Amino acid sequence: MNIIKNIVLTIMLFVISGCGYSSIYSKQNYQDFQIEVIKIQGDNEFNNYIKNELKLYSNINSNKKYLIEINSHYKKIIISKNASGTATNYNLTVSTNFTVIVNDKVKSFQFKDSINMKKNNNSFEQKKYEESIKRNFASSIREKLIIKILSINDN
């Protein structure tokens, strides 16, 4: 039985390692541009997540520099309540406007993400989960912005 188990594990290891998977964004880490956030407005916590995410793609030694202004709006809206009037479900939405300046060209982009969230009875866990959602929003929006920046770079 152990021999069969080892053979199956070995075959799975070869299949997984040989599948050729690589992230479509993996090569973007090596882009030759610098991102500098020059103005931030809106939700401070979310903007800090975005700013930190953008640092991952910034090469401080690059000559090509993108100046970015961020304006974000974060909303937590009650979408349902129980019989006693206590909130049970929320909709979390973030809308972010970016102004990108490069070589005297100004481009504007807007991205929006939202998710529904059930209320957790443990307020500490609820807060941690909401922070995690904000970080995921920031990561998703950063990916979208990098794609747009690369399209500016191609033009």
Side-chain angles (χ1 to χ4, degrees):
M1 188 69 161
N2 282 336
I3 294 172
I4 294 172
K5 193 181 212 182
N6 287 337
I7 291 172
V8 170
L9 287 174
T10 304
I11 291 171
M12 288 189 64
L13 179 66
F14 282 118
V15 169
I16 291 172
S17 66
C19 72
Y21 170 78
S22 67
S23 170
I24 60 173
Y25 302 112
S26 64
K27 293 180 181 157
Q28 290 178 355
N29 286 328
Y30 305 108
Q31 294 298 325
D32 188 27
F33 56 80
Q34 180 181 5
I35 297 173
E36 182 181 334
V37 178
I38 57 172
K39 185 177 178 184
I40 298 177
Q41 293 178 320
D43 186 82
N44 288 331
E45 182 181 17
F46 181 75
N47 287 338
N48 284 333
Y49 292 143
I50 286 281
K51 191 173 177 182
N52 290 335
E53 287 281 334
L54 290 173
K55 283 181 185 178
L56 297 173
Y57 282 84
S58 186
N59 177 358
I60 60 172
N61 298 319
S62 176
N63 292 329
K64 185 143 192 142
K65 190 177 207 176
Y66 293 90
L67 304 176
I68 296 182
E69 297 177 2
I70 303 170
N71 187 359
S72 68
H73 302 282
Y74 177 77
K75 293 181 201 171
K76 181 178 179 181
I77 301 168
I78 298 170
I79 56 174
S80 65
K81 297 180 181 183
N82 62 16
S84 65
T86 304
T88 57
N89 291 306
Y90 299 96
N91 177 268
L92 307 178
T93 303
V94 66
S95 177
T96 311
N97 296 308
F98 293 96
T99 302
V100 180
I101 305 163
V102 60
N103 298 333
D104 297 328
K105 285 198 271 186
V106 178
K107 298 278 187 173
S108 295
F109 306 106
Q110 181 178 18
F111 305 106
K112 186 175 182 179
D113 277 327
S114 70
I115 191 169
N116 291 339
M117 176 181 78
K118 289 186 180 251
K119 182 180 182 203
N120 189 333
N121 291 332
N122 182 330
S123 61
F124 178 75
E125 290 297 322
Q126 174 90 18
K127 183 164 176 48
K128 288 294 180 193
Y129 183 57
E130 191 173 339
E131 287 173 6
S132 173
I133 290 171
K134 276 186 169 182
R135 280 192 295 275
N136 289 338
F137 280 164
S139 180
S140 169
I141 289 173
R142 181 241 322 147
E143 292 291 345
K144 294 172 189 175
L145 179 64
I146 292 298
I147 290 170
K148 292 292 188 179
I149 285 175
L150 291 174
S151 73
I152 293 172
N153 201 17
D154 290 339
N155 293 335

